[in-house]
Amino acid sequence: MAGTVTEPARTDPARIRNFCIIAHIDHGKSTLADRMLEVTGIVEGRNMRAQYLDRMDIERERGITIKAQNVRLPWRTAPDTDDAGIVLHMIDTPGHVDFTYEVSRSLAACEGAVLLVDAAQGIEAQTLANLYLALENDLTIIPVLNKIDLPAAQPEKFAEEIAHIIGCEPDDVLRVSGKTGVGVPELLDEIVAKIPAPTGDADGPARALIFDSVYDIYRGVITYVRVVDGRISGREKIKMMSNGVTHELLEIGVISPDPKPVESLGVGEVGYFITGVKDVRQSRVGDTVTLQHKAAAESLGGYRDPKPMVYSGLYPIDGSEYPLLREALDKLLLNDAALVYEPETSAALGFGFRVGFLGLLHLEIVRERLERESGLSLISTAPNVVYRVVMEDGTELVVTNPSDWPHGKMEKIFEPIVKATLIAPSDYTGAIMELCQGRRGALTGMDYLSESRVELRYTLPLGEIIFDFFDALKSRTRGYASLDYQEAGEQESQLVKVDILLQGEAVDAFSAIVHKDKAYAYGVMMAGKLRELIPRQQFEVPIQAAIGARVIARETIRAIRKDVLAKCYGGDISRKRKLLEKQKEGKKRMKMVGRVEVPQEAFVAALSNAEPSKK
Amino acid sequence: MSTHLPLLPAPEPPPPDSRPGPSWLPASAREQLATTPFGLYVHVPFCATRCGYCDFNTYTSDELGPGASRSEYADTAISELRMAAHVLGPDLPTVQTVFVGGGTPTLLPAADLAAVLAEVRDLFPVAADVEVTTEANPESVTPASLARLREAGFTRLSLGMQSAVEHVLAVLDRRHTPGRPAQAAAEARAAGFEHVNLDLIYGAPGETDADWDASLDAVLAAPVDHVSAYALIVEDGTRLARQIARGEHAMPDDDVLADRYERADRRLNAAGLGWYEVSNWATGRAARCRHNELYWAGGNWWGVGPGAHSHVGGLRWWNVKHPAAYADRLLQGYSPEHDRELLDGDQRAMERVMLGLRLRDGLPLEHLSDAGRVRAAELVHERLLEATPWSRGRAVLTARGRLLADAVVRDLTD
């Protein structure tokens, strides 16, 4: 058998180390990954670009990873040898609470995790949540402080903090600088020494875990897998265990750092395959891949369908762009297994789509990609969560849109809740508690991570978090707090639907489901905003906030009394006519709510969280 | 018969920045020339000082270059009058109205204004009952100059009063004393002017309801048969606009302007001055300004002077703005036209509604589209159009409708 022991398809599992990096958004994960590519020699310095592994523009610009990445790196077996006998598979994980499930699958593909913490910031809530996920998956944790080159770095303090959290000695915490490269080779050596090699049944039926799946316009869906048992080779038909569908393998390979076709992938190896399918739904994250002719009996477990947590209406600002929006969504769907949508019509906004998202960031990313990749301008309605309503007659319905809120007698209403973790300097404990209490949170625990930093655990309704919670948290803690949360089932709540009526006519885009104690505040806020945003009409326009038939707040837009140009500009009739023509053009762009002319901008402004600008 | 009338032969090619003049009128514009009322407007672009709110085409220097200085201006205007007669001829329309506006026409010697008027009579057939108006500032007329103007054939005097209250006049940069306009009106009556108008502006920064009442008192006590009252419009680029931007003055409030308008309308009507155009009131049909009516009723007029606008049979054009450029064009024998637009059918229909609705006589409903007529019925219901005239086939604005005239026009022309 020719070739070295680290050649793909023939690597001894004992020489493989699979690891991921757990880090907060700007704690330098991508930069560290860049240095690893350099240090292991697979990307030469001159070909290096920042955030090498982040594929999407949005990822590079925002400095976040949305899709999991992976790369196969050669490394020495020990610090004192040149023997490049080790294969490192680094699996980069998405870095946001919306993608917790994807993170968990990436973690499941590894034996160890690098816990990367900014030496000037300390651990953040999201990192902590992912750390707990890693510990649940029995991963070996290698604690690392990054950015030790920063003048503001406090490695002693934060090493102590990390030691306190994971139960190691402060001296066990490695210190690196992704920027200068200091400590990176030592970190790789530590990974080799500490992280267990993968184990699996090389002769058993093949089983591989899908930890990511992306759509490429040239090649179709590219699926990333970690082989657990057996071997998957390019000549065979594979089978998805969640639904039994089989596919021909067109290509199988590894990323190092560019895709490289190989014959097969064995136990512990990480790589990709291409089957020619065009939709990531046919190759879902978390699914187990086996071979058709010698199929495994049991899947690796842990698979679940993505479940939208947040819904919002997406509408083109220019109604004629509706077909474009449909096309753009269809295209995005190929690359986003979590996206769900259906057509929706709003009296106020026209034709659009009701779209389900994993969370707020997912919403933002989808919206941004639609606008960027298809040149659309969109309005999104206020996001809402999924409610379960049990009617008095025992029937049950799931509401994803305030417009579908039932009218009849409701026995019980359930809303999704989350377990939230907040970490902040302890000075802000009071501010955070006040915020969470105002959002109907229940404190479930509190720990001091160090003398000056506190971790608070709350149960909160998800519906409260998706409405400007991040902004409120940021402003109350001057940006020092971090938040993470996980679904935690549902709770019964006294929720009502608040409608906003213009001249007695409900404007669907402004309806919201809120707790009954907050209905009044929402009504006053929305009515006040609209009074500022809607121009005066020829008649008085009452703005009402109502729960069913009961009006809870009211504002009035006084009738306009003067809309005439007094003078004739010395016979300059053209000027007058052009002015009128311009006004008529403006009128055409108005949306009619009953008889009330509402400028498009008013909808946009009212639906954004920003304060309305004064007229 | 050729309708293409070449203009004066050009001695040199026109300057690169000037467009060709109205060397001919399109046949369509000429069609109704004989049967459409015709007037002349003469712009006098000089003022002693510039008022802070004013964005009219006027200059305070009296030396603006060859042909454009005050002393030569009448001659320059006369050369455009000759050009007008040449273009409109050979069958010239009869002049029904002449209006000399500005600026401050009475900054020119009465003899100059008389010379311009004499030239009109030389060039054009003039109606026996021709209305000849000049605007004037109260401080720029004397019993003697008024007598001279009356003698020259001026029949109507329009005085810029603006306000009877000192602090309001000061905000507006007006130089006359509060009592002077009424006195000038009396002098005009004494000189034999049958029709005298006072112009008011309401809504100036600092003006109170009581101030406005005082101005209305003063107007009603003066011997005039016509009153114009305009809401102060803060035009971009004026000193007033800059003062407001700097926070030195408050922007006039639309509701306050509406109150002032309603108050003026009520008091003027009570005193026998009925509205006949959104911003104009007169003691009777004979006291109305016929030249102004010409604008609103779609008549023809030739505007003489820098920046002056003209309309003949659906062709609108306007002259170059600066007096020096204007005079230079004429001195070289070119048309002073800066640009023009020939209205299409839709634009003419739209203008008919826009202009006709401003008048008390209103707009015949048949000038509206089908949709417009349906909307008109609704507007009667909304009390923006008067019910009785509507039942007789005319759209006439109510007092509330006058304040919302532009909105009504937009509604009726959708």
Side-chain angles (χ1 to χ4, degrees):
Chain A
M1 214 184 259
T4 71
V5 285
T6 54
E7 198 177 313
R10 310 196 210 304
T11 318
D12 178 356
R15 292 180 172 274
I16 296 175
R17 301 292 181 274
N18 293 331
F19 72 98
C20 57
I21 304 175
I22 297 172
H24 189 66
I25 280 176
D26 47 6
H27 283 198
K29 182 172 60 173
S30 296
T31 311
L32 177 63
D34 288 349
R35 285 299 84 71
M36 289 180 173
L37 299 188
E38 261 179 25
V39 169
T40 57
I42 65 161
V43 178
E44 286 177 47
R46 64 190 154 92
N47 293 329
M48 197 65 208
R49 54 174 196 265
Q51 294 177 253
Y52 194 93
L53 295 174
D54 286 349
R55 276 177 296 231
M56 281 191 270
D57 289 345
I58 294 182
E59 292 183 320
R60 284 214 186 86
E61 282 168 26
R62 295 187 166 215
I64 54 171
T65 306
I66 299 165
K67 305 295 284 187
Q69 313 293 336
N70 73 94
V71 65
R72 184 180 173 116
L73 307 164
W75 191 242
R76 61 195 179 200
T77 51
D80 49 4
T81 166
D82 287 337
D83 172 15
I86 289 290
V87 170
L88 299 173
H89 287 128
M90 181 181 67
I91 296 175
D92 194 8
T93 54
H96 192 270
V97 54
D98 284 3
F99 305 104
T100 303
Y101 176 67
E102 283 75 0
V103 173
S104 79
R105 295 306 84 197
S106 294
L107 296 178
C110 303
E111 278 73 30
V114 170
L115 173 67
L116 187 71
V117 175
D118 188 323
Q121 308 275 331
I123 199 161
E124 305 285 1
Q126 200 178 76
T127 318
L128 198 59
N130 286 344
L131 171 67
Y132 292 148
L133 263 183
L135 291 170
E136 279 167 30
N137 277 286
D138 266 339
L139 263 54
T140 300
I141 306 297
I142 298 183
V144 178
L145 285 169
N146 192 17
K147 305 194 188 179
I148 53 158
D149 55 299
L150 287 183
Q154 294 175 273
E156 280 74 28
K157 176 183 170 185
F158 292 117
E160 190 100 24
E161 190 178 280
I162 293 173
H164 171 77
I165 294 166
I166 63 170
C168 65
E169 291 301 316
D171 286 347
D172 296 340
V173 180
L174 300 190
R175 295 168 190 200
V176 307
S177 165
K179 194 172 151 201
T180 65
V182 168
V184 175
E186 290 77 6
L187 169 58
L188 293 177
D189 288 335
E190 181 86 353
I191 289 170
V192 175
K194 291 276 169 68
I195 294 180
T199 53
D201 181 358
D203 303 317
R207 289 198 300 176
L209 172 70
I210 299 181
F211 63 86
D212 197 12
S213 176
V214 299
Y215 174 76
D216 178 280
I217 52 165
Y218 301 108
R219 317 207 60 192
V221 171
I222 302 172
T223 303
Y224 296 98
V225 290
R226 144 79 196 266
V227 178
V228 175
D229 294 321
R231 174 172 300 279
I232 292 180
S233 67
R235 291 181 299 275
E236 292 163 286
K237 265 196 164 177
I238 54 159
K239 180 172 148 187
M240 302 297 174
M241 294 193 72
S242 69
N243 54 15
V245 175
T246 60
H247 298 288
E248 201 81 48
L249 274 184
L250 301 181
E251 183 179 317
I252 182 164
V254 296
I255 309 284
S256 189
D258 298 310
K260 199 179 292 174
V262 299
E263 254 174 55
S264 65
L265 292 173
V267 169
E269 285 191 290
V270 173
Y272 69 91
F273 65 73
I274 294 169
T275 60
V277 301
K278 293 267 183 272
D279 180 347
V280 288
R281 276 168 181 66
Q282 293 175 288
S283 209
R284 288 177 179 267
V285 171
D287 204 350
T288 302
V289 183
T290 188
L291 298 177
Q292 189 192 16
H293 78 274
K294 191 183 158 195
E298 262 183 63
S299 75
L300 293 166
Y303 173 75
R304 59 167 220 219
D305 282 322
K307 195 170 88 187
M309 300 292 287
V310 173
Y311 282 80
S312 168
L314 281 185
Y315 292 83
I317 285 184
D318 174 353
S320 70
E321 286 185 342
Y322 174 74
L324 269 178
L325 174 58
R326 171 188 293 278
E327 251 172 59
L329 276 167
D330 288 347
K331 208 171 107 195
L332 208 53
L333 196 66
L334 299 175
N335 199 14
D336 191 339
L339 192 67
V340 296
Y341 56 87
E342 56 180 34
E344 170 183 78
T345 313
S346 153
L349 302 174
F351 292 107
F353 290 92
R354 192 82 197 154
V355 188
F357 304 94
L358 294 172
L360 277 191
L361 179 75
H362 189 214
L363 186 163
E364 228 177 281
I365 288 166
V366 166
R367 188 188 150 149
E368 198 170 318
R369 289 189 66 184
L370 289 171
E371 296 196 324
R372 184 187 298 224
E373 289 165 23
S374 302
L376 294 158
S377 299
L378 302 172
I379 306 183
S380 48
T381 61
N384 61 270
V385 298
V386 181
Y387 301 96
R388 189 165 68 87
V389 181
V390 181
M391 305 298 289
E392 242 178 26
D393 63 5
T395 54
E396 194 179 308
L397 51 143
V398 171
V399 179
T400 59
N401 186 339
S403 307
D404 301 333
W405 196 249
H407 295 286
K409 290 259 184 207
M410 286 171 261
E411 176 76 27
K412 282 175 177 169
I413 303 164
F414 296 91
E415 64 176 336
I417 51 170
V418 296
K419 282 194 191 313
T421 306
L422 298 109
I423 295 179
S426 39
D427 298 352
Y428 296 112
T429 309
I432 292 176
M433 286 181 148
E434 197 184 16
L435 171 68
C436 290
Q437 251 150 32
R439 302 300 178 110
R440 300 188 284 132
L443 184 66
T444 59
M446 180 170 160
D447 276 314
Y448 279 86
L449 300 178
S450 64
E451 258 178 36
S452 58
R453 298 224 308 157
V454 68
E455 176 197 348
L456 294 155
R457 290 184 296 280
Y458 270 91
T459 301
L460 280 158
L462 178 61
E464 295 285 348
I465 287 188
I466 63 168
F467 193 72
D468 76 359
F469 186 84
F470 289 105
D471 291 341
L473 181 65
K474 238 195 269 168
S475 68
R476 279 166 197 241
T477 61
R478 293 167 56 209
Y480 281 116
S482 63
L483 164 76
D484 191 85
Y485 56 84
Q486 286 177 309
E487 308 167 48
E490 58 178 16
Q491 71 180 17
E492 193 187 339
S493 296
Q494 298 204 294
L495 300 171
V496 292
K497 178 189 178 197
V498 179
D499 287 317
I500 303 293
L501 296 86
L502 280 185
Q503 257 212 338
E505 196 151 328
V507 186
D508 52 10
F510 297 139
S511 293
I513 311 292
V514 296
H515 190 264
K516 70 171 180 36
D517 293 345
K518 299 186 146 194
Y520 175 72
Y522 176 81
V524 168
M525 183 273 295
M526 208 40 144
K529 255 188 181 185
L530 291 177
R531 188 173 60 89
E532 294 298 322
L533 291 167
I534 297 174
R536 292 167 71 179
Q537 316 273 314
Q538 283 170 34
F539 40 86
E540 189 176 283
V541 178
I543 305 171
Q544 294 162 308
I547 301 171
R550 186 164 56 91
V551 173
I552 55 169
R554 187 192 157 105
E555 291 273 4
T556 304
I557 304 173
R558 285 177 306 142
I560 190 169
R561 291 182 53 208
K562 178 177 173 291
D563 184 357
V564 60
L565 259 182
K567 60 181 179 181
C568 81
Y569 295 112
D572 185 356
I573 308 294
S574 302
R575 175 170 170 184
K576 211 170 150 52
R577 193 191 70 245
K578 280 169 190 160
L579 197 68
L580 267 171
E581 279 165 357
K582 210 171 123 194
Q583 291 170 345
K584 279 164 68 102
E585 273 309 306
K587 190 175 161 176
K588 274 190 208 144
R589 288 196 303 273
M590 300 276 189
K591 300 253 182 195
M592 298 301 294
V593 175
R595 288 166 61 217
V596 183
E597 294 172 359
V598 184
Q600 184 86 9
E601 306 83 67
F603 283 108
V604 180
L607 290 171
S608 71
N609 289 328
E611 281 297 306
S613 55
K614 292 276 171 198
K615 272 184 291 182
Chain B
M1 181 190 94
S2 168
T3 55
H4 291 190
L5 286 178
L7 193 63
L8 307 173
E12 282 168 21
D17 63 343
S18 85
R19 293 160 184 266
S23 50
W24 54 80
L25 285 170
S28 63
R30 191 172 280 282
E31 266 165 25
Q32 315 274 326
L33 201 51
T35 52
T36 307
F38 179 76
L40 287 166
Y41 172 77
V42 180
H43 188 68
V44 178
F46 305 112
C47 280
T49 57
R50 180 178 272 278
C51 305
Y53 64 90
C54 174
D55 75 331
F56 285 164
N57 190 28
T58 187
Y59 302 83
T60 50
S61 165
D62 54 8
E63 275 306 325
L64 290 170
S69 61
R70 268 184 221 175
S71 57
E72 292 170 292
Y73 183 72
D75 286 342
T76 306
I78 283 169
S79 68
E80 192 186 352
L81 277 174
R82 290 181 182 148
M83 185 179 290
H86 185 66
V87 169
L88 291 167
D91 299 318
L92 285 169
T94 300
V95 176
Q96 311 283 346
T97 64
V98 179
F99 195 102
V100 183
T104 309
T106 43
L107 272 190
L108 294 188
D112 282 7
L113 296 179
V116 170
L117 190 52
E119 187 72 19
V120 169
R121 290 185 182 280
D122 277 357
L123 291 165
F124 290 88
V126 172
D129 62 345
V130 66
E131 172 195 277
V132 185
T133 306
T134 185
E135 291 182 341
N137 276 353
E139 73 276 17
S140 69
V141 292
T142 62
S145 70
L146 289 167
R148 179 73 190 89
L149 290 171
R150 181 69 196 95
E151 186 189 323
F154 283 86
T155 64
R156 189 171 177 277
L157 190 74
S158 177
L159 289 160
M161 164 171 167
Q162 323 313 356
S163 172
V165 180
E166 201 151 2
H167 72 91
V168 177
L169 289 170
V171 166
L172 296 174
D173 294 321
R174 301 301 292 209
R175 295 298 169 95
H176 55 260
T177 52
R180 177 60 199 156
Q183 192 186 9
E187 287 167 8
R189 294 305 291 260
F193 280 91
E194 196 182 341
H195 303 297
V196 180
N197 168 57
L198 287 174
D199 259 355
L200 290 174
I201 288 180
Y202 55 88
E207 184 191 66
T208 64
D209 287 346
D211 292 337
W212 182 229
D213 261 340
S215 295
L216 290 169
D217 287 341
V219 158
L220 292 172
V224 296
D225 62 349
H226 190 286
V227 174
S228 302
Y230 297 101
L232 178 69
I233 300 177
V234 180
E235 301 286 359
D236 288 347
T238 59
R239 190 160 67 237
L240 181 64
R242 289 192 295 276
Q243 289 167 336
I244 287 175
R246 287 199 299 264
E248 293 166 23
H249 287 313
M251 189 78 168
D253 177 85
D254 275 356
D255 286 355
V256 169
L257 294 176
D259 285 340
R260 301 265 150 89
Y261 179 86
E262 284 170 358
R263 186 149 193 87
D265 189 49
R266 217 164 36 239
R267 294 201 58 196
L268 292 169
N269 272 304
L273 286 139
W275 81 279
Y276 71 95
E277 192 274 337
V278 169
S279 303
N280 290 284
W281 291 260
T283 52
R285 200 164 272 273
R288 295 180 182 180
C289 174
R290 280 156 51 204
H291 186 81
N292 248 325
E293 285 185 306
L294 196 82
Y295 291 160
W296 307 122
N300 291 335
W301 73 92
W302 189 294
V304 168
H309 285 252
S310 302
H311 171 249
V312 175
L315 177 72
R316 296 195 183 281
W317 74 90
W318 45 96
N319 288 347
V320 292
K321 210 172 162 191
H322 196 274
Y326 166 79
D328 184 58
R329 292 276 192 100
L330 285 165
L331 283 173
Q332 293 194 51
Y334 300 130
S335 158
E337 174 193 324
H338 174 68
D339 206 353
R340 59 164 64 188
E341 59 172 357
L342 187 58
L343 305 176
D344 61 25
D346 286 349
Q347 289 170 321
R348 292 190 81 169
M350 157 102 169
E351 284 196 353
R352 216 165 21 232
V353 177
M354 176 180 94
L355 301 173
L357 257 185
R358 294 184 68 101
L359 298 171
R360 175 171 213 151
D361 295 335
L363 180 80
L365 292 176
E366 63 260 27
H367 286 174
L368 295 172
S369 64
D370 290 351
R373 279 193 289 276
V374 171
R375 188 71 192 111
E378 292 166 8
L379 289 170
V380 171
H381 215 72
E382 292 164 24
R383 299 184 194 289
L384 292 169
L385 292 179
E386 298 276 10
T388 310
W390 176 79
S391 65
R392 293 179 187 149
R394 292 189 90 82
V396 176
L397 293 169
T398 60
R400 193 167 95 83
R402 272 180 265 153
L403 277 166
L404 297 172
D406 290 356
V408 172
V409 171
R410 291 195 295 274
D411 261 8
L412 290 178
T413 55
D414 265 350

